[in-house]
Amino acid sequence: MNKKISLILGSGGARGLAHIGVITALQENNFEICSISGCSIGSLIGGIFAAGKLDEFEKWILTIDKYDIVSLLDLSWGNNGLVKGDKIINTLKAMVGDTSIEDLPIAYTAVASDILNSKEVWLNSGPLFDAIRASISLPLFFTPVERHNKILIDGGVLNPVPIAPTFNDDTELKIAVNLGSEQATAPQLTEVAKVHDEGSAVSRFIASLKFEKEEKETNKLGAYEVADKAFDAMQSHLAAAKLAAYPPDVLIEISRNACGTLEFDKAAEMIELGYKTCIESLKNNKLI
């Protein structure tokens, strides 16, 4: 008999591609995902899975190149974010379909942050990609989203591993994925992941966004890298506090050093890491 679970998918940029591997491992071991709560990349992967299009997304993310990335960056000329995000969302809508959360076969909540009132906002109704767009609004990178007189940004700002939306779920287990662990070790590349990574056009393009010299000194970090590392550190400590207060039944931890926030060229590595880490966690908890 399948074990019914609530799945909580945390924030962490490109590390969130590990969520794909986690979901695959859970399904292969007869876990029925009945509910998803996610923020930032967790809301994106969780929403695409809930819509039944995760396989299509995985194939796409593994094959995008430098020019695909560039074409998706619709730069904003305002002062509240670099990228508007419309092209990314429209590309995903074309792949997944413009569905409503109410029509999904499983319960789904995307978590965003109301920056003016310092409150979490749970988005569990309305257009799926409107909720995702609000939840992934990484400060400085994506422009914020205005919704119901609120200014919404990345859910990870206030709650990187949003367990609370699953408290009333009628499921057997709550399984959470934390992408900001300071305890988990960084992964080793397999030969497959190395082939995907070495010489990657996407890798070179993302590297160009870091505004840093190849050989840099610690006190010469670029502006983007300073903001990126600060946000990662903040989320890591906040996640630890939230998880201590509301521990899930199973915690899957991905190292915050596994890859950078925008290193989506490491998809193969992150998916494999998520799969292997999930299997190990399930074995440690004697669930397989």
Side-chain angles (χ1 to χ4, degrees):
M1 180 180 294
N2 289 353
K3 307 175 191 70
K4 295 184 177 182
I5 66 167
S6 299
L7 182 61
I8 299 95
L9 301 177
S11 64
R15 292 190 300 278
L17 297 176
H19 293 324
I20 298 173
V22 168
I23 290 170
T24 300
L26 290 171
Q27 290 186 303
E28 287 182 0
N29 287 279
N30 301 316
F31 289 87
E32 181 183 353
I33 301 170
C34 300
S35 167
I36 289 179
S37 172
C39 66
S40 197
I41 188 68
S43 73
L44 174 63
I45 301 297
I48 292 173
F49 167 73
K53 297 292 184 177
L54 192 59
D55 288 345
E56 289 86 343
F57 176 81
E58 180 179 0
K59 291 175 183 176
W60 175 75
I61 200 67
L62 286 169
T63 58
I64 58 174
D65 61 20
K66 171 182 177 180
Y67 304 102
D68 295 321
I69 293 287
V70 172
S71 70
L72 292 174
L73 297 180
D74 47 353
L75 298 180
S76 169
W77 301 108
N79 57 8
N80 58 359
L82 293 174
V83 177
K84 290 186 290 185
D86 294 343
K87 288 186 178 180
I88 293 172
I89 293 298
N90 288 336
T91 298
L92 293 173
K93 280 182 182 179
M95 183 189 311
V96 175
D98 191 7
T99 187
S100 294
I101 294 174
E102 293 91 336
D103 295 330
L104 297 175
I106 64 176
Y108 169 84
T109 301
V111 177
S113 300
D114 175 357
I115 193 60
L116 297 181
N117 297 299
S118 301
K119 293 181 179 179
E120 290 180 36
V121 176
W122 296 359
L123 304 171
N124 48 27
S125 63
L128 173 63
F129 281 101
D130 284 0
I132 289 172
R133 176 62 183 86
S135 184
I136 67 171
S137 297
L138 182 68
L140 297 181
F141 190 74
F142 282 116
T143 56
V145 169
E146 293 187 33
R147 176 168 171 153
H148 303 315
N149 297 318
K150 296 181 175 68
I151 304 298
L152 303 181
I153 62 171
D154 195 302
V157 169
L158 295 179
N159 194 349
V161 191
I163 295 176
T166 69
F167 282 170
N168 294 322
D169 288 352
D170 184 19
T171 52
E172 298 171 61
L173 296 169
K174 290 178 174 55
I175 298 179
V177 185
N178 174 24
L179 301 175
S181 173
E182 294 186 332
Q183 282 74 42
T185 56
Q188 296 295 317
L189 285 171
T190 64
E191 291 305 311
V192 172
K194 285 179 182 178
V195 169
H196 178 77
D197 182 63
E198 290 172 355
S200 165
V202 177
S203 180
R204 292 193 299 272
F205 175 72
I206 294 297
S208 74
L209 295 180
K210 294 183 179 179
F211 310 110
E212 61 178 312
K213 294 181 180 179
E214 186 174 350
E215 295 182 2
K216 62 181 183 300
E217 296 177 14
T218 305
N219 64 346
K220 292 184 179 179
L221 297 177
Y224 166 76
E225 192 172 9
V226 170
D228 182 38
K229 289 183 178 298
F231 191 64
D232 254 1
M234 178 199 73
Q235 285 193 108
S236 178
H237 287 278
L238 184 55
K242 293 284 188 179
L243 290 167
Y246 304 107
D249 298 296
V250 177
L251 178 61
I252 299 166
E253 296 200 276
I254 303 297
S255 170
R256 59 181 280 199
N257 296 320
C259 78
T261 302
L262 296 179
E263 290 184 306
F264 285 93
D265 58 306
K266 292 188 176 181
E269 178 185 347
M270 290 301 100
I271 293 169
E272 179 186 6
L273 175 63
Y275 182 90
K276 289 184 174 180
T277 306
C278 181
I279 293 295
E280 182 179 353
S281 296
L282 295 175
K283 287 180 177 178
N284 289 342
N285 284 277
K286 297 180 172 54
L287 291 171
I288 58 174

